[in-house]
């Protein structure tokens, strides 16, 4: 079996290669692929994720490919996603208050209105591209949580597309923002946006130099929040930002903004159409959910398991160790493969079956251990609001064409999902 198919972004234009993942997982919990160890089973993925002392997010970052230069590596290490203790819990503690159940509850009414409005806007048409129509919900939510002016939210769509879609020729150069309708600080940021080179390539978006417009906007927004604080996360962070002994450095602030703008948007932007694909692929389960809305909480978690928006993350071994009988050396890349672990037959009965009533459902879509997703409850609230609106207003939707998938080995993405009802 050619295991390298799981790292080829072209593979995912067609589908997630579950048959290959099944075969690898059946053979071993840990397998060698290219220059890394792929962790395929649920128990071993959990073991890696809960032990940052042995499996570091910081040493080499959390992407399979190494940063191109030592300077790039130093910079990505300042991002919370790529931190280990003690820096990671320091920053996470500052952010946690924005994602408490009480804070999310305060947002739910607005999220419900936004989701219902997005679906209502196409209700009478009888058809729509719901991947594109519903992409605004995470943008609206993030704009509210982080204090980004609503008219600037489309910037986050472009930034996340460029970062997550760097392997996709369309998303790598995407530019959907109308400069006439945004704030002055957004226009200033757009002025430094990199342009495609003669061969159409853009600079690496996972570096500071590759996203100068995002960082320019983060700096301007931070200064605006320092002068005009509100009740949002960015205002709260700016109370702690100071390169000279502050609790959050300016670099950390900028990289937190990068993380919010990209990770906070992209997972949901793909999880929502992915959930629709799951329902349309299993019409009996779709009708079961239509008939019994009390199943919506378990259905949302099953969508997140069955689709798995983020397919893997990397760690780096800090010392020689053994994982499921495999000798791993200090410095080795260890990549946990969520798309495989979420269909591990040792944990999930009939794992390829989509079951809106599945319980228990110990999926790893939001991670595990100290890096468990801060926004998990907010993500569930948004998906609940969207699917409530779809069920109420559209009923049973059906495919009106093939989905267009993102060319990426990292994000299980949907660029277009034409449906009819």
């Amino acid at each position: 079996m050619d295991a390298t198919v799981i790292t080829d972004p072209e593979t995912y234009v067609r589908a997630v290669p579950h048959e290959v993942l099944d075969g690898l997982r059946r053979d071993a919990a840990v397998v060698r692929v290219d220059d890394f160890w792929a962790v395929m089973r649920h128990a071993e993925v959990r073991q890696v994720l809960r032990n940052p002392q042995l499996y570091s997010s910081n040493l080499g970052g959390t992407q399979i490919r190494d940063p191109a230069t030592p300077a790039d590596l130093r910079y990505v290490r300042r991002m919370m996603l790529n931190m280990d203790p003690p820096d990671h819990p320091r920053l996470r503690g500052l952010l946690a208050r924005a994602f408490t159940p009480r804070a999310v509850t305060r947002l739910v009414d607005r999220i419900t209105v936004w989701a219902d409005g997005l679906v209502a806007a196409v209700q009478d048409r009888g058809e729509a591209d719901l991947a594109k129509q519903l992409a605004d919900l995470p943008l609206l939510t993030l704009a509210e949580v982080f204090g980004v002016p609503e008219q600037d939210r489309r910037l986050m769509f472009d930034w996340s597309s460029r970062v997550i879609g760097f392997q996709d020729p369309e998303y790598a150069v995407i530019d959907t923002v109308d400069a006439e309708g945004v704030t002055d600080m957004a226009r200033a940021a757009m002025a430094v946006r990199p342009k495609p080179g003669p061969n159409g390539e853009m600079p690496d978006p996972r570096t500071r130099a590759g996203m100068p417009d995002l960082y320019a906007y983060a700096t301007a927004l931070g200064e605006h929040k320092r002068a005009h604080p509100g009740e949002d996360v960015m205002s709260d962070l700016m109370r702690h930002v100071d390169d000279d002994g502050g609790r959050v450095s300016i670099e950390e602030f900028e990289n937190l903004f990068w993380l919010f703008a990209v990770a906070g948007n992209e997972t949901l932007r793909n999880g929502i159409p992915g959930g629709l694909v799951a329902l349309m692929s299993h019409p009996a389960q779709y009708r079961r959910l239509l008939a019994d809305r009390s199943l919506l909480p378990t259905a949302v978690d099953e969508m997140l398991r069955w689709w798995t928006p983020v397919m893997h993350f990397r760690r780096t071994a800090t010392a020689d160790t053994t994982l499921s009988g495999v000798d791993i050396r200090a410095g080795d890349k260890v990549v946990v493969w969520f798309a495989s672990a979420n269909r591990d037959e040792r944990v999930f009965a009939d794992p390829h079956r989509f079951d809106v009533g599945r319980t228990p459902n110990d999926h790893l879509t939001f991670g595990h251990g100290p890096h468990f997703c801060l926004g998990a409850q907010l993500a569930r609230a948004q998906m609940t609001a969207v699917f409530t609106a779809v069920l109420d207003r559209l009923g049973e939707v059906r495919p009106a064409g093939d989905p267009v998938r993102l060319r990426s080995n990292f994000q299980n993405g949907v660029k277009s999902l034409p449906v009819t009802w």
Side-chain angles (χ1 to χ4, degrees), residues 367-420:
H368 179 70
H371 280 275
F372 182 82
C373 177
L374 266 174
Q377 188 175 354
L378 190 60
R380 286 188 175 102
Q382 292 177 77
M383 290 191 69
T384 299
V386 160
F387 285 98
T388 296
V390 167
L391 295 169
D392 287 349
R393 291 188 175 274
L394 309 184
E396 185 176 349
V397 304
R398 298 175 299 279
D402 293 331
V404 178
R405 294 178 51 86
L406 181 69
R407 186 182 186 273
S408 171
N409 63 12
F410 175 68
Q411 184 80 211
N412 190 10
V414 184
K415 298 197 295 183
S416 176
L417 183 64
V419 301
T420 184

Side-chain angles (χ1 to χ4, degrees), residues 320-399:
D320 292 353
T321 188
T322 301
L323 181 63
S324 191
V326 174
D327 291 332
I328 294 171
R329 301 301 179 198
D332 282 359
K333 299 178 186 180
V334 179
V335 181
V336 294
W337 219 273
F338 299 122
S340 172
N342 274 350
R343 299 206 183 188
D344 188 342
E345 45 285 312
R346 294 157 192 80
V347 176
F348 305 100
D350 196 1
H352 294 299
R353 177 172 56 89
F354 178 76
D355 177 2
V356 296
R358 185 182 292 273
T359 183
N361 189 344
D362 190 19
H363 67 77
L364 297 171
T365 294
F366 294 122
H368 179 70
H371 280 275
F372 182 82
C373 177
L374 266 174
Q377 188 175 354
L378 190 60
R380 286 188 175 102
Q382 292 177 77
M383 290 191 69
T384 299
V386 160
F387 285 98
T388 296
V390 167
L391 295 169
D392 287 349
R393 291 188 175 274
L394 309 184
E396 185 176 349
V397 304
R398 298 175 299 279

